[in-house]
């Protein structure tokens, strides 16, 4: 399998190169030249296998320059080393209304990002070796909260790597901040940015694509890579969990072979929902995809109008991992759906950069609407939903998942189709404890650890070990910088002035 850049179809790289580089030098994202298709027999063959075994088989379709043995080593290390609290890695829970929650947060940092970031370091270190460089990899990551911690946990003390994480100073939950500030490891660094997530992401992108900086790194035996969902090595593990979820639903008799279902995904950077779309292209019988947002509703507007317009107020919400105005992975969807029209992508994403907007026209918009719908919910609706689901089912939902459940319920009420609905459940509710406790009527006047105990008292749900432990961990990283000082901070930390 070869990979092209969304901004240059003539550029062809191997999967190892795509993963090692993270983002193409032309600013585009790497996409597979074709999308492998699975037959009924292929799905059948995945039954009875562990998650790690399924993942290795599916990775082999995309990461063709990795040997089966290497892939098995990677999936074993990521999914079978005890870092996930459930042996099946992911769980499917059914609510009283029949909707199905695909719980993707049983990993070490309590958010779905672990599904990909527990394996990315293993891909990346092998990819670097395959591409013939012995450079130290410097992972530079902008985070709206969950990516950063999951990346830090994945890369902690991985030989040959260093990782630097930037997060918006006032844009993450107190638990997320704690998780990052207490990160252990010799090769890690965390820094707050005075700005929002888009400021962090733009700062990181600018550092990445700065030729001066790249030269400086090369002279010092280093190279950048990315752990953000722009890296193909993060997207492909996400495709795996949708394929695996379908196989598990067949095994459990929740679906019959070939029976269609819908998927709702609480969305920010468009990575998770794009993975569901790839799974659909591969042959998972997905009928419709519902893209759920908080009041940063740029994607809802885009799906409705065909106009992507980031010129709007940024809102901090109780679902901070979706507080995003630039959804990078949309570029991959548009590249595929325009028949790999790189010139068109350059034009649109050039306009996004210079004017903050682009218009895809009605023809493509209609085709997108045939596969996707969008909906958005504010914090009030999100909290009400959490309270309602808890009252009806005794089930605690985190704030992001709650946005998804709102959208799924609205879709089911309105839509003519009656297909089962699978909702991606993206974080453990304890990770956003204050908002969740408030939503179920608890008193939130307490520190984050007292909030955990109060939530446990009311719900009976076990506090994840990784969060309970934070209380006794040393706070290591408390610094913050302005966006225009990020590059200097990187140089200083790496000692390459
Ligand atoms: C990152 C994140 C999202 C958004 O996922 P994207 O792939 O960026 O669309 C949703 N919920 C949680 C809890 C997250 O951490």
């Amino acid at each position: 399998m070869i990979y092209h850049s969304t901004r240059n179809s003539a550029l062809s790289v191997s999967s190892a190169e795509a993963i090692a580089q993270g983002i193409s030098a032309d600013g585009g994202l790497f996409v597979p030249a074709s999308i492998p298709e699975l037959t009924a027999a292929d799905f059948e063959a995945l039954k009875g296998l562990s998650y790690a075994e399924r993942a290795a088989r599916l990775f082999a379709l995309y990461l063709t320059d990795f040997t089966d043995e290497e892939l098995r080593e990677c999936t074993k290390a990521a999914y079978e080393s005890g870092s996930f609290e459930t042996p099946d890695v992911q769980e499917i829970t059914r609510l009283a209304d029949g909707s199905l929650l695909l719980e993707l947060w049983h990993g070490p940092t309590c958010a779905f990002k672990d599904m990909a970031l527990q394996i990315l370091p293993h891909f990346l270190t092998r990819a670097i070796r395959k591409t013939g460089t012995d450079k130290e990899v410097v992972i530079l990551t902008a985070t709206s909260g969950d990516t950063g911690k999951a990346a830090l946990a994945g890369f902690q003390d991985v030989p040959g790597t260093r990782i630097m994480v930037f997060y918006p100073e006032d844009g993450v939950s107190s638990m997320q901040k704690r998780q990052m500030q207490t990160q252990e490891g010799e090769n890690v660094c965390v820094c707050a940015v005075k700005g929002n997530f888009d400021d962090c992401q733009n700062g990181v992108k600018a550092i990445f694509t700065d030729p001066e900086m790249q030269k400086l790194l090369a002279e010092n035996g280093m190279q950048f890579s990315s752990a953000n969902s722009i890296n193909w090595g993060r997207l492909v593990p996400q495709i795996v969990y949708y394929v695996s979820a379908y196989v598990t639903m067949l095994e459990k008799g929740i679906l019959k072979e070939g029976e269609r279902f819908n998927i709702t995904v609480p969305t920010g950077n468009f990575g998770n929902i794009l993975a569901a779309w790839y799974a659909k292209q591969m042959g998972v019988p997905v009928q419709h995809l519902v893209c759920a947002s908080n009041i940063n509703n740029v994607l809802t507007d885009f799906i409705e109008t065909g106009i992507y317009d980031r010129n709007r107020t940024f809102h901090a919400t109780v679902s901070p991992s979706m507080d995003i105005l630039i959804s990078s992975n949309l570029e991959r969807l548009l590249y595929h759906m325009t028949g790999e029209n790189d010139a068109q992508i350059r034009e649109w994403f050039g306009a996004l950069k210079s004017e903050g907007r682009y218009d895809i026209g009605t023809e493509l918009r209609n085709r997108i609407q045939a596969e996707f719908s969008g909906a958005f919910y504010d914090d009030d609706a999100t909290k009400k939903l959490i309270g309602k689901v808890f009252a009806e089912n005794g089930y605690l939902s985190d704030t992001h998942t709650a946005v998804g459940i709102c959208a799924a319920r609205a879709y089911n009420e309105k839509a003519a189709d009656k297909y089962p609905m699978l909702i991606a459940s993206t974080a453990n509710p304890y990770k956003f404890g204050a908002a969740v406790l408030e939503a179920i009527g608890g008193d939130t006047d307490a520190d984050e650890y007292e909030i955990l105990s109060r939530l446990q008292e009311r719900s009976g749900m076990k506090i994840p070990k990784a969060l309970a432990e934070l209380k006794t961990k040393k706070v290591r990283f408390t610094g913050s910088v302005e966006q225009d000082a990020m590059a200097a901070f990187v140089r200083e930390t790496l000692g390459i002035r």
Side-chain angles (χ1 to χ4, degrees), residues 111-113 146 266-272 321-322 398 400 426-427 432:
F112 86 95
K113 307 282 197 300
D146 290 336
T267 296
N269 218 7
F270 211 76
N272 200 358
S321 299
M322 302 177 356
D398 102 284
H400 305 74
T426 51
F432 302 92

Side-chain angles (χ1 to χ4, degrees), residues 11 13 16-25 30 124 128 208 223-226 231:
L11 184 78
V13 301
E17 282 165 328
I19 291 172
Q21 288 177 37
I23 185 169
S24 177
F30 290 115
L124 193 62
I128 298 281
F208 252 113
Q223 83 177 62
F224 281 134
S225 192
S226 165
N231 192 317

Side-chain angles (χ1 to χ4, degrees), residues 262-263 270 273 277 280 286-291 298-308 330 333-334 337 359-375 411 414-415 417:
N262 297 323
I263 300 179
F270 211 76
I273 195 167
W277 181 84
K280 180 182 177 187
V286 178
Q287 178 66 24
H288 200 74
L289 293 160
V290 180
C291 173
V298 60
L299 285 167
T300 315
D301 286 351
F302 172 72
I303 293 167
E304 267 166 26
T305 64
I307 298 171
Y308 194 99
L330 196 53
L333 179 74
L334 295 176
M337 289 191 78
D359 182 347
I360 61 167
T362 51
E363 190 272 329
L364 179 55
R365 184 205 64 194
N366 292 343
R367 283 194 286 125
I368 287 179
Q369 286 178 350
E371 292 193 78
F372 292 88
S373 43
Y411 179 85
K414 224 173 40 196
D417 80 56

